[in-house]
Amino acid sequence: MSGLLAGKRLLVTGVITDASIAFSVAKIAQENGAQVVLTGFGRLSLVERIARRLPEPAPVIELDVTNPEHLAGLADKVREHVDGLDGVVHSIGFAPQSCLGGGFLDAPWEDVATALHVSTYSYKSLAMAALPLMSPGGAVVGLTFDATKAWPVYDWMGVAKAGLESASRYLALHLGKQGIRSNLVAAGPLRTMAAKSIPGFVQFEDAWSARAPLGWDLTDQAPAARACLALLSDWFPATTGEIVHVDGGYHALGAA
Ligand SMILES: NC(=O)c1ccc[n+]([C@@H]2O[C@H](COP(=O)([O-])OP(=O)(O)OC[C@H]3O[C@@H](n4cnc5c(N)ncnc54)[C@H](O)[C@@H]3O)[C@@H](O)[C@H]2O)c1
């Protein structure tokens, strides 16, 4: 098989619908020569149904990133399908409703803790769970929403993403000696299930549609997916701890 990812074995988390960024990652990865194993959270039969829409039906392993048993058993389950991993995609985020939509000042710690566990700490947990399959080298890629700024309605999810961005840099620091790179893609707003759960998400849609210098298609996951795959490929061998913006250029603007 030829292509940018020929011979690469990738573990892709985060598929729940065919609008998931992870679905585009898996699809484009296969189209470019990669072998893909998926993980699914909760509604496994739904994820399996979506997985059958890929060019090559991909196996699905159950993974709740907050479940220590799932994490401990992940490497063995992946080994049933591939003999090692060249890359891991973290495409996971969740925050309880109290943490979003303007609730920043009132969200209770238990809810904030859930958001940080699923959206931030899990980046490290997933990388460590996959590590036995990646030595002597590999790449981890995650998805963020530019956390250098405070956004309306994003609230504690923004704090979780700031933590994710830092966690990615620390992963780069601690796993660099093993030849493992850690990078993030900062995507603009895309209409996925996670996005629909954010009350007021339309504000992002309107802002990007009006101002992104390159324009912005709210329903095209391919640009973000392609950037993830480029970072997993052999074309970024000396890049780690980096954040690549795939947002139509929105991040480069000052106040409009
Ligand atoms: N959609 C956007 O506008 C946008 C923009 C920038 C970054 N992102 C990020 O992209 C990533 C993927 O989100 P998406 O927009 O494709 O939405 P999505 O709803 O399709 O994917 C989110 C995934 O997280 C999974 N998940 C939630 N809790 C989990 C848990 N405990 N264990 C394992 N998996 C769990 C869900 O099952 C789902 O597959 C997220 O990190 C999100 O924050 C999204």
Side-chain angles (χ1 to χ4, degrees), residues 98-133:
S98 64
C99 295
L100 298 160
F104 182 81
L105 298 177
D106 298 318
W109 164 242
E110 292 70 27
D111 287 355
V112 173
T114 299
L116 296 175
H117 196 177
V118 178
S119 313
T120 308
Y121 185 75
S122 70
Y123 188 70
K124 191 268 331 177
S125 309
L126 176 67
M128 290 309 287
L131 190 61
L133 294 165

Side-chain angles (χ1 to χ4, degrees), residues 14 16 20-21 41 63-65 91-92 143-144 161 189-190 192 194:
I16 190 69
S20 294
I21 297 169
F41 167 60
L63 177 66
D64 172 349
V65 274
S91 190
I92 293 169
L143 275 305
T144 188
K161 289 301 192 194
L190 294 163
T192 63

Side-chain angles (χ1 to χ4, degrees), residues 13-23 39-43 47 63-67 70 90-95 114 117-119 122 142-146 154 157 161 164 185-198 201 204 216 218 221 224 246:
T13 65
V15 170
I16 190 69
T17 70
D18 58 9
S20 294
I21 297 169
F23 181 84
T39 71
F41 167 60
R43 293 183 283 170
V47 180
L63 177 66
D64 172 349
V65 274
T66 66
N67 182 324
H70 286 188
H90 178 284
S91 190
I92 293 169
F94 173 76
T114 299
H117 196 177
V118 178
S119 313
S122 70
L143 275 305
T144 188
F145 188 72
D146 185 1
Y154 207 48
M157 197 64 204
K161 289 301 192 194
L164 174 70
V185 169
L190 294 163
R191 285 189 184 144
T192 63
M193 206 153 108
K196 282 182 196 142
S197 74
I198 302 172
F201 188 77
F204 295 127
W216 184 248
L218 299 157
Q221 276 69 332
V246 181

Side-chain angles (χ1 to χ4, degrees), residues 46-229:
L46 173 61
V47 180
E48 279 161 359
R49 183 143 45 88
I50 302 293
R52 287 198 285 274
R53 293 186 198 163
L54 289 168
E56 302 278 330
V60 180
I61 296 168
E62 183 174 22
L63 177 66
D64 172 349
V65 274
T66 66
N67 182 324
E69 285 165 22
H70 286 188
L71 290 164
L74 183 68
D76 284 342
K77 288 199 172 142
V78 172
R79 239 182 242 112
E80 291 172 14
H81 305 286
V82 286
D83 54 4
L85 285 175
D86 303 290
V88 176
V89 179
H90 178 284
S91 190
I92 293 169
F94 173 76
Q97 282 295 298
S98 64
C99 295
L100 298 160
F104 182 81
L105 298 177
D106 298 318
W109 164 242
E110 292 70 27
D111 287 355
V112 173
T114 299
L116 296 175
H117 196 177
V118 178
S119 313
T120 308
Y121 185 75
S122 70
Y123 188 70
K124 191 268 331 177
S125 309
L126 176 67
M128 290 309 287
L131 190 61
L133 294 165
M134 282 200 286
S135 304
V140 186
V141 170
L143 275 305
T144 188
F145 188 72
D146 185 1
T148 57
K149 297 166 187 75
W151 300 101
V153 310
Y154 207 48
D155 293 304
W156 284 103
M157 197 64 204
V159 178
K161 289 301 192 194
L164 174 70
E165 293 177 6
S166 181
S168 174
R169 289 187 286 268
Y170 276 96
L171 209 64
L173 169 66
H174 286 283
L175 295 183
K177 280 203 180 67
Q178 297 179 51
I180 293 171
R181 299 174 288 120
S182 169
N183 294 291
L184 299 179
V185 169
L190 294 163
R191 285 189 184 144
T192 63
M193 206 153 108
K196 282 182 196 142
S197 74
I198 302 172
F201 188 77
V202 68
Q203 292 180 47
F204 295 127
E205 300 190 347
D206 293 347
W208 254 259
S209 300
R211 293 190 218 126
L214 289 173
W216 184 248
D217 184 343
L218 299 157
T219 61
D220 185 7
Q221 276 69 332
R226 283 179 179 278
C228 291
L229 294 170

